[in-house]
């Protein structure tokens, strides 16, 4: 029998602490859609996605009504498009088709305009990568990602070199909207195949035909729980986070099982990431401050984040039968009011953010930099993040936005993407390093067999 | 289906009467009620069985929400599963 306190605790988490399910993402394989011509492929893609995901939004809304927990986003991820168009080319047409599918079924985003080039690039992949800026400029809901490194293969520096230029071009082509295209493009090391979060979601080739992956959230719930243990030591803090993470994840697990059943899809994974939003009371930055820092970015930030990330995983793993995706605390600067304030105060700098990415779930995320940042500096930022990911055997990523025509101030993307303060960066030239190209070999501990 | 109805707001006359009447109209059976005053707010929790109602869950929840708006209280109706998921191992 449920107690009154338990019922009120759940209601309060949803009502005032912003507990929500951040996303139900349906992964759809497009491998069976490859046609002899690109128009044949597009027809099959449209048919498959609009059939499989026809009820995705309705089911999401029904579950939201029934359980009383907000489900903020409904999304689709697909097989990396570079593989789908390998034979025929015409990736831009597929991009437009995917965007049309997203409009048709009413989802928020569709991800998978992606390529996996961590070791090398085929000619069709090179060609595909060059279409990314145009694809993002001529669509509204499409997201793109490229995996350029992995612990097993090392870092493909030829691809890394291209990424800086591609980001600059996306920035230019979407300059009328604050270079927003860059917010829909992410460069990965050790990309995962079942990530429900954007911009990096794609449906891996090792996945089943149709899969439901769910991303939970709830930084506000963790913050409020920590407010109750102000005098506790850090073991108490870790235990408190674990218990809350367990409860949050149980909600995600239930929603994922219910959604999979109703949509006739496989249950994939629960992603345990604590995903912030720009509203007050939904910030990962504020959790770290609740642990005892005056401001995120102070010394101690990395340690607090390590504790948080670990405790969230330990609590969440028991609550779900399959954990995957990125699973950890997100630190997207523009999407977290605590992080935005810390950057504006001058307390949180890019170097500290980089250190945080060594232990958190992703990487340099939603970081705005000056529009005149050279492409090779962006490539070098990516190379550094890849090195952190490859050596630590974890996923890292860069979603950086050089805001065209702006070198200071901030840029507002609206909605969940938030407001990004333009951060000062070290622009000392790394161009000779980037120009070398080639491959940085895999670390010694990649050779485990 | 078992559901939990929570009614939260400033204490006033006739809240239980109005909520129970609406549930009767919707053919929803009340299995348990508890109420208390928390931080000056009237808080009532009802456990109900919706299996005899002909309406869909969203419609029932919507009816209860509307009643809440009429009487100036916040009324939520949620499937019991979310509470069980969160609090029972």
């Amino acid at each position: 029998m449920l107690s009154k306190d338990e019922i009120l605790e759940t209601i309060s988490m949803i009502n005032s602490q912003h507990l929500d399910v951040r996303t139900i993402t349906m992964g759809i394989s497009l491998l069976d859609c490859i046609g002899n011509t690109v128009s044949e492929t597009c027809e099959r893609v449209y048919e498959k996605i609009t059939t499989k995901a026809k009820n995705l939004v309705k089911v999401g809304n029904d579950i939201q009504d029934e359980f009383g927990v907000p489900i903020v986003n409904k999304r689709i991820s697909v097989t990396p498009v570079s593989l789908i168009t390998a034979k025929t080319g015409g990736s831009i047409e597929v991009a437009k088709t995917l965007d049309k599918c997203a409009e048709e079924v009413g989802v928020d985003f569709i991800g998978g305009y992606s390529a996996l080039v961590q070791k090398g690039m085929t000619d069709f992949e090179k060609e595909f990568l060059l279409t990314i800026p145009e694809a993002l400029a001529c669509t509204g809901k499409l997201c793109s990602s490229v995996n350029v490194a992995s612990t097993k293969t090392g870092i493909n520096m030829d691809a890394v070199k291209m990424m800086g230029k591609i980001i600059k071009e996306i920035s230019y082509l979407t300059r009328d909207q604050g270079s927003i295209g860059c917010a829909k493009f992410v460069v990965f090391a050790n990309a995962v195949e079942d990530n429900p979060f954007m911009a990096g979601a794609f449906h891996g080739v090792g996945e089943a035909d149709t899969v439901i992956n769910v991303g939970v959230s709830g930084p506000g719930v963790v913050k409020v729980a920590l407010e109750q243990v102000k005098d506790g030591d850090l073991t108490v803090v870790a235990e408190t986070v674990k218990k809350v993470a367990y409860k949050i994840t149980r909600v995600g697990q239930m929603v994922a099982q219910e959604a999979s059943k109703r949509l006739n899809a496989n249950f994939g994974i629960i992603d345990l990431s604590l995903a912030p939003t720009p509203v007050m009371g939904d910030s990962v930055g504020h959790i770290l401050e609740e642990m005892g820092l005056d401001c995120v970015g102070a010394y101690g930030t990395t340690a607090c984040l390590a504790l948080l990330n670990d405790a969230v995983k330990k609590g969440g793993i028991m609550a779900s039968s399959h954990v995957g995706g990125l699973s950890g605390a997100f630190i997207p600067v523009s999407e977290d009011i605590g992080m935005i304030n810390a950057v504006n105060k001058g307390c949180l700098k890019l170097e500290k953010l980089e250190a945080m990415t060594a232990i958190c779930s992703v990487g340099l995320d939603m970081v705005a930099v000056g529009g005149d940042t050279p492409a090779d500096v962006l490539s070098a930022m990516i190379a550094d993040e890849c090195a952190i990911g490859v050596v630590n055997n974890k996923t890292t990523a860069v979603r950086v936005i050089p805001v065209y025509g702006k070198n200071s101030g901030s840029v507002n993307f609206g909605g969940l993407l938030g407001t990004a303060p333009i951060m000062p960066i070290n622009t000392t030239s790394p161009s000779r390093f980037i120009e070398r190209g080639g491959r940085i070999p895999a670390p010694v501990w990649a050779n485990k067999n | 289906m078992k559901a939990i109805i929570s009614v939260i707001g400033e204490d006033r006359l006739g809240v239980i009467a109005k909520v129970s009447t609406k549930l009767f109209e919707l053919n929803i059976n009340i299995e348990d009620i508890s109420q208390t005053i928390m931080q000056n707010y009237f808080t009532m929790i009802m456990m109900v069985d919706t299996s005899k109602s002909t309406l869909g869950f969203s419609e029932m929840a919507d009816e209860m929400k509307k009643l809440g708006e009429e009487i100036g209280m916040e009324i939520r109706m949620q499937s019991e599963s979310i509470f069980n998921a969160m609090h029972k191992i």
Side-chain angles (χ1 to χ4, degrees), chain A residues 39 67 81 142 155 158 210 234 245 268 270-271 283 304 348 350 380 414:
Chain A
S39 38
F67 299 117
V81 170
L142 187 69
I155 308 173
D158 292 325
T210 316
L234 290 167
I270 302 292
D271 188 312
S283 155
C304 286
L348 179 59
L350 212 53

Side-chain angles (χ1 to χ4, degrees), chain A residues 202-264:
Chain A
F202 63 88
H203 186 72
V205 291
E207 296 282 327
D209 186 71
T210 316
V211 175
I212 292 294
N213 297 319
V214 165
V216 294
S217 184
V221 183
V222 176
K223 161 92 165 47
V224 170
L226 291 183
E227 284 169 8
Q228 315 306 313
V229 292
K230 280 199 185 298
D231 298 326
D233 68 12
L234 290 167
T235 305
V236 173
V237 169
E239 285 300 308
T240 306
V241 175
K242 262 164 66 177
K243 285 179 193 155
V244 173
Y246 173 82
K247 290 176 181 173
I248 294 172
T249 310
R250 290 282 285 180
V251 174
Q253 167 82 10
M254 183 193 66
V255 167
Q257 279 175 328
E258 207 52 45
S260 318
K261 197 167 74 190
R262 294 185 194 188
L263 290 161
N264 197 22

Side-chain angles (χ1 to χ4, degrees), chain A residues 10 14 19 21 24 63-64 66-69 71 212 214 216 246-262 267 270 319-321, chain B residues 78-87:
Chain A
T10 303
I14 296 167
L19 171 63
V21 170
I24 297 182
I63 292 174
Q64 170 174 296
E66 214 165 295
F67 299 117
V69 62
I71 296 171
I212 292 294
V214 165
V216 294
Y246 173 82
K247 290 176 181 173
I248 294 172
T249 310
R250 290 282 285 180
V251 174
Q253 167 82 10
M254 183 193 66
V255 167
Q257 279 175 328
E258 207 52 45
S260 318
K261 197 167 74 190
R262 294 185 194 188
F267 162 48
I270 302 292
S320 172
S321 43
Chain B
Q78 294 164 271
S79 161
E80 188 195 30
S81 327
I82 184 169
F83 301 96
N84 284 333
M86 199 180 262
H87 299 289

Side-chain angles (χ1 to χ4, degrees), chain A residues 1-2 4 6-11 13-15 19 65-69 246-247 250-251 254 318, chain B residues 1 4 6 32 34 36 38 43 45 57-58 74 76 78-79 81-89:
Chain A
M1 184 78 176
L2 288 156
K4 193 163 65 186
E6 287 170 339
I7 291 172
L8 290 174
E9 183 190 3
T10 303
I11 292 171
M13 281 181 180
I14 296 167
N15 261 6
L19 171 63
D65 289 346
E66 214 165 295
F67 299 117
V69 62
Y246 173 82
K247 290 176 181 173
R250 290 282 285 180
V251 174
M254 183 193 66
M318 183 175 160
Chain B
M1 181 195 281
I4 303 279
S6 57
D32 189 44
S34 70
T36 184
M38 278 178 53
T43 307
I45 309 271
F57 198 94
S58 302
E74 202 173 302
R76 284 167 179 269
Q78 294 164 271
S79 161
S81 327
I82 184 169
F83 301 96
N84 284 333
M86 199 180 262
H87 299 289
K88 306 286 172 216
I89 293 182

